[in-house]
Amino acid sequence: MSRRPEILFPLFADLKGLDGVGPRSVENFAKMGVEKPGDLLFTLPHNLIDRNPIKTINDAVLPSVVTVEVTVGLHQPNAVKGRPYRVMVEDAGASFQLVFFHARKDWLQKQLPSGQKRIISGKLEVFDGLAQMVHPDYILTVDEADSIPPIEPVYPMSAGITQKLIQKAAKGALARVPDLPEWIEPSVLKKHGWPSWKDAVLAAHAPQSTSDLSREAKARERLAYDEFLAHQTTLAIARANTRRAKGIPTLGTGKLRNKVLASLPYKPTGAQSRSIDEITTDMADNNRMNRLLQGDVGAGKTLVAFMAMLAAVEAGAQGVMMAPTEILARQHLAGLQPLAEEAGVVLEILTGRDKGKERTAKLKALADGNIHILVGTHAVFQKDVEFSGLRIAVIDEQHRFGVRQRMDLGAKGDAVDVLVMTATPIPRSLELSHYGDMDVSVLDEKPPGRKPITTVLVSNSRMDQVVDRLKAAIAEGKQAYWVCPLVEESELVDHAAAEDRFRTLRLALGDENVGLVHGQMPVAQKDAAMAAFIQGETSILVATTVIEVGVDVPNASIMVIEQAEHFGLAQLHQLRGRVGRGTEASTCLLMYASPLGKTAERRLTVMRETEDGFRISEEDLKLRGAGDLLGTAQSGVARFRVGDLEAQTTLMKIAHDDARLLIHEDAKLQSRRGNAVITLLYLLEHEKSIRLLSIG
């Protein structure tokens, strides 16, 4: 189980075994991510050159690559150093020049003897009214004409790698392609009309027309599907492993939840009720829960998560809710406290700020089971934090926590159920590729009473009018956020900009009206500024993006985002979601500097047109790509060499369903097809999941 199949050995051998590849080339190939012959198989041509011969260059549209039979004329060496050597040639209807720099005269006279016929192939251009070809790619005798490929693939390159070298190396790698057992389900293979793996690889490296280069070409589509299938099988194995990890059934009585529901001034949305049912059903099951709860800004995720934790408390256990920042953790505490009082449960907070006796007392109460629900930051991970019976861990804002931290938190109790909440609606294709090991609940309805937000684009040149408008709003008792630009990826520069804006607004609006929050402030100062704004003591809060997630001030009805063109769509959507939480009609002003680039203009237009987070996330994916959307550094977004996550969502969905079915029916991959899939996993270097198979 743990050894790579022998049939794949040639693809994992040393690159130096390929024709023309020496130690220097090995270094240069490594810069392209090519370290073994198998990597070359997935480095596909992105263009092609048509080298079919023509009679005369009069038939060509220049500049272009031409292949033509010529009679060699006069040689024109140049005595001046650095000047080119020229050779006149003539085809069936026109004459042109061949141009050589730093060329040896004796070599050229041997290659191109005057009066002889030669086949020439290369890029022909017009320069100063003369047609010329600089350094032809091929100079051959008429007898050798057949050795020029009629269609030549063009590969991506990096410094030190020429087309000739990569073509030669790819040819060597293709000679090693083995016949592998078929891992695609026969009905899927037949439906799409895909070739076998070997035929697909050979065809993808030998395009005959530009349509063969498109992702819809059968050979490329099949190779993309192979990548998606390997990736989804890995996730399905991880998911089955989590599920095999036996859980403890958590059966709540409903008593505490009913108390909270009865106290609410509104009825939960259909999506909230459905999600609560999905989560509590998972908790009551024998297997461990691993679920993602995704919902748009203000869709009511916190209530759903609180209901899940109450189900654990009803069953005599505890719940924990983790937030990425102290501001957020304190806000969850403030939001949940009234609900906890209704239910009669003890809710506490634990952050890095807890020290000394107070911390010791909290830890004792937690270990004795006297705290039912804990809200916290990373401080919850510390070794001395012990629960008496932790049954559910809720993690807010998934992309701030890695999979390892999810597992660390799960280890704080026996078979802890995990619920991850994200306020960034995730496009379906990304959800499958990134969270494929999790079950998903979606909140796609807004709770009643949420007012639409009017979004307006305002040029920076109208700054004075914006400040005047704020002055009038303050006089009416309204509150506003003013978000300062992302100057660069540096909190230091960001906070300098925020402090400048803070000073100018205090001058215009009065010292007592304006507060400031940024990441470099001491925690106590930051909390004091937040508290003053929440309690209405200040009317304007100047901030960097620290307020992006979760801050809830119902009276704040204006959001100004300065230099909005520098923000991503998801971020703009999150920031805008900070207003529109009360009874007032709300406005979001997106301030920008002219002229706007195309992408920035598209982003701001999408923001003006829609408040639908799912549509916004799809647009964001189109504009930014998958890695950026989840922040590649932490996201572990799969990198595909042939597949295109954004454009091939349907293929990903088929792979997702097929992989889940396969692992359900053949958990250890012991069938004939299962063994073939193991070969695929080794081929695409998913060894880790194969180790999980042997553990499971």
mmCIF file of all heavy atoms in Angstrom, residues 149-166:
data_model
loop_
_atom_site.group_PDB
_atom_site.id
_atom_site.type_symbol
_atom_site.label_atom_id
_atom_site.label_comp_id
_atom_site.label_asym_id
_atom_site.label_seq_id
_atom_site.Cartn_x
_atom_site.Cartn_y
_atom_site.Cartn_z
ATOM 1 N N PRO A 149 8.874 19.158 -38.398
ATOM 2 C CA PRO A 149 7.485 18.795 -38.060
ATOM 3 C C PRO A 149 6.521 19.811 -38.695
ATOM 4 O O PRO A 149 6.751 21.021 -38.595
ATOM 5 C CB PRO A 149 7.450 18.909 -36.534
ATOM 6 C CG PRO A 149 8.573 19.819 -36.182
ATOM 7 C CD PRO A 149 9.620 19.663 -37.242
ATOM 8 N N PRO A 150 5.454 19.321 -39.378
ATOM 9 C CA PRO A 150 4.529 20.275 -40.012
ATOM 10 C C PRO A 150 3.856 21.199 -38.990
ATOM 11 O O PRO A 150 3.632 22.368 -39.235
ATOM 12 C CB PRO A 150 3.495 19.389 -40.717
ATOM 13 C CG PRO A 150 3.772 17.991 -40.297
ATOM 14 C CD PRO A 150 5.097 17.921 -39.640
ATOM 15 N N ILE A 151 3.534 20.622 -37.812
ATOM 16 C CA ILE A 151 2.982 21.435 -36.716
ATOM 17 C C ILE A 151 3.897 21.233 -35.516
ATOM 18 O O ILE A 151 4.152 20.101 -35.105
ATOM 19 C CB ILE A 151 1.543 20.991 -36.338
ATOM 20 C CG1 ILE A 151 0.586 21.106 -37.530
ATOM 21 C CG2 ILE A 151 1.027 21.812 -35.148
ATOM 22 C CD1 ILE A 151 0.251 22.527 -37.947
ATOM 23 N N GLU A 152 4.400 22.321 -34.948
ATOM 24 C CA GLU A 152 5.351 22.198 -33.842
ATOM 25 C C GLU A 152 4.745 22.804 -32.572
ATOM 26 O O GLU A 152 4.280 23.947 -32.593
ATOM 27 C CB GLU A 152 6.616 22.965 -34.223
ATOM 28 C CG GLU A 152 7.802 22.670 -33.337
ATOM 29 C CD GLU A 152 9.070 23.309 -33.904
ATOM 30 O OE1 GLU A 152 9.271 24.522 -33.708
ATOM 31 O OE2 GLU A 152 9.834 22.593 -34.566
ATOM 32 N N PRO A 153 4.724 22.030 -31.473
ATOM 33 C CA PRO A 153 4.166 22.580 -30.231
ATOM 34 C C PRO A 153 5.082 23.652 -29.636
ATOM 35 O O PRO A 153 6.311 23.557 -29.747
ATOM 36 C CB PRO A 153 4.093 21.361 -29.303
ATOM 37 C CG PRO A 153 5.127 20.411 -29.832
ATOM 38 C CD PRO A 153 5.218 20.661 -31.306
ATOM 39 N N VAL A 154 4.483 24.672 -28.993
ATOM 40 C CA VAL A 154 5.263 25.714 -28.314
ATOM 41 C C VAL A 154 4.979 25.586 -26.818
ATOM 42 O O VAL A 154 3.828 25.657 -26.387
ATOM 43 C CB VAL A 154 4.862 27.127 -28.804
ATOM 44 C CG1 VAL A 154 5.645 28.188 -28.036
ATOM 45 C CG2 VAL A 154 5.104 27.247 -30.298
ATOM 46 N N TYR A 155 6.053 25.392 -26.041
ATOM 47 C CA TYR A 155 5.899 25.159 -24.603
ATOM 48 C C TYR A 155 6.165 26.433 -23.804
ATOM 49 O O TYR A 155 6.896 27.316 -24.251
ATOM 50 C CB TYR A 155 6.897 24.087 -24.150
ATOM 51 C CG TYR A 155 6.551 22.697 -24.620
ATOM 52 C CD1 TYR A 155 7.032 22.209 -25.833
ATOM 53 C CD2 TYR A 155 5.729 21.869 -23.856
ATOM 54 C CE1 TYR A 155 6.712 20.930 -26.278
ATOM 55 C CE2 TYR A 155 5.398 20.591 -24.288
ATOM 56 C CZ TYR A 155 5.897 20.125 -25.496
ATOM 57 O OH TYR A 155 5.568 18.860 -25.925
ATOM 58 N N PRO A 156 5.619 26.515 -22.579
ATOM 59 C CA PRO A 156 6.024 27.614 -21.695
ATOM 60 C C PRO A 156 7.513 27.434 -21.368
ATOM 61 O O PRO A 156 8.000 26.301 -21.339
ATOM 62 C CB PRO A 156 5.160 27.416 -20.445
ATOM 63 C CG PRO A 156 4.624 26.028 -20.531
ATOM 64 C CD PRO A 156 4.660 25.601 -21.953
ATOM 65 N N MET A 157 8.217 28.532 -21.155
ATOM 66 C CA MET A 157 9.663 28.421 -20.906
ATOM 67 C C MET A 157 10.051 29.255 -19.696
ATOM 68 O O MET A 157 9.278 30.082 -19.233
ATOM 69 C CB MET A 157 10.440 28.959 -22.112
ATOM 70 C CG MET A 157 10.241 28.141 -23.374
ATOM 71 S SD MET A 157 11.315 28.719 -24.704
ATOM 72 C CE MET A 157 10.868 30.429 -24.888
ATOM 73 N N SER A 158 11.276 29.019 -19.199
ATOM 74 C CA SER A 158 11.810 29.942 -18.198
ATOM 75 C C SER A 158 13.252 30.229 -18.615
ATOM 76 O O SER A 158 13.759 29.620 -19.565
ATOM 77 C CB SER A 158 11.737 29.336 -16.798
ATOM 78 O OG SER A 158 12.859 28.519 -16.571
ATOM 79 N N ALA A 159 13.914 31.146 -17.920
ATOM 80 C CA ALA A 159 15.274 31.533 -18.293
ATOM 81 C C ALA A 159 16.158 30.297 -18.414
ATOM 82 O O ALA A 159 16.125 29.416 -17.557
ATOM 83 C CB ALA A 159 15.834 32.484 -17.247
ATOM 84 N N GLY A 160 16.923 30.250 -19.495
ATOM 85 C CA GLY A 160 17.874 29.148 -19.666
ATOM 86 C C GLY A 160 17.284 27.932 -20.360
ATOM 87 O O GLY A 160 17.981 26.965 -20.636
ATOM 88 N N ILE A 161 15.978 27.940 -20.628
ATOM 89 C CA ILE A 161 15.335 26.807 -21.320
ATOM 90 C C ILE A 161 14.881 27.291 -22.697
ATOM 91 O O ILE A 161 14.079 28.217 -22.802
ATOM 92 C CB ILE A 161 14.102 26.297 -20.534
ATOM 93 C CG1 ILE A 161 14.489 25.879 -19.113
ATOM 94 C CG2 ILE A 161 13.413 25.159 -21.272
ATOM 95 C CD1 ILE A 161 15.165 24.559 -18.972
ATOM 96 N N THR A 162 15.409 26.665 -23.745
ATOM 97 C CA THR A 162 14.983 27.049 -25.103
ATOM 98 C C THR A 162 13.848 26.126 -25.558
ATOM 99 O O THR A 162 13.639 25.052 -24.975
ATOM 100 C CB THR A 162 16.152 26.893 -26.097
ATOM 101 O OG1 THR A 162 16.516 25.491 -26.123
ATOM 102 C CG2 THR A 162 17.360 27.725 -25.676
ATOM 103 N N GLN A 163 13.141 26.534 -26.617
ATOM 104 C CA GLN A 163 12.090 25.668 -27.176
ATOM 105 C C GLN A 163 12.687 24.331 -27.615
ATOM 106 O O GLN A 163 12.111 23.281 -27.373
ATOM 107 C CB GLN A 163 11.398 26.346 -28.379
ATOM 108 C CG GLN A 163 10.269 27.275 -28.022
ATOM 109 C CD GLN A 163 9.154 26.611 -27.197
ATOM 110 O OE1 GLN A 163 8.789 25.463 -27.386
ATOM 111 N NE2 GLN A 163 8.632 27.362 -26.248
ATOM 112 N N LYS A 164 13.867 24.407 -28.268
ATOM 113 C CA LYS A 164 14.498 23.168 -28.761
ATOM 114 C C LYS A 164 14.720 22.197 -27.605
ATOM 115 O O LYS A 164 14.444 21.005 -27.714
ATOM 116 C CB LYS A 164 15.843 23.504 -29.424
ATOM 117 C CG LYS A 164 15.701 24.091 -30.840
ATOM 118 C CD LYS A 164 16.100 23.042 -31.890
ATOM 119 C CE LYS A 164 15.686 23.449 -33.296
ATOM 120 N NZ LYS A 164 16.492 24.520 -33.857
ATOM 121 N N LEU A 165 15.227 22.737 -26.472
ATOM 122 C CA LEU A 165 15.545 21.877 -25.331
ATOM 123 C C LEU A 165 14.280 21.272 -24.729
ATOM 124 O O LEU A 165 14.212 20.061 -24.484
ATOM 125 C CB LEU A 165 16.305 22.676 -24.264
ATOM 126 C CG LEU A 165 16.557 21.934 -22.937
ATOM 127 C CD1 LEU A 165 17.391 20.674 -23.151
ATOM 128 C CD2 LEU A 165 17.243 22.837 -21.924
ATOM 129 N N ILE A 166 13.260 22.098 -24.525
ATOM 130 C CA ILE A 166 12.049 21.565 -23.867
ATOM 131 C C ILE A 166 11.322 20.587 -24.797
ATOM 132 O O ILE A 166 10.780 19.579 -24.355
ATOM 133 C CB ILE A 166 11.124 22.697 -23.349
ATOM 134 C CG1 ILE A 166 10.096 22.124 -22.353
ATOM 135 C CG2 ILE A 166 10.440 23.451 -24.438
ATOM 136 C CD1 ILE A 166 9.346 23.178 -21.549
#
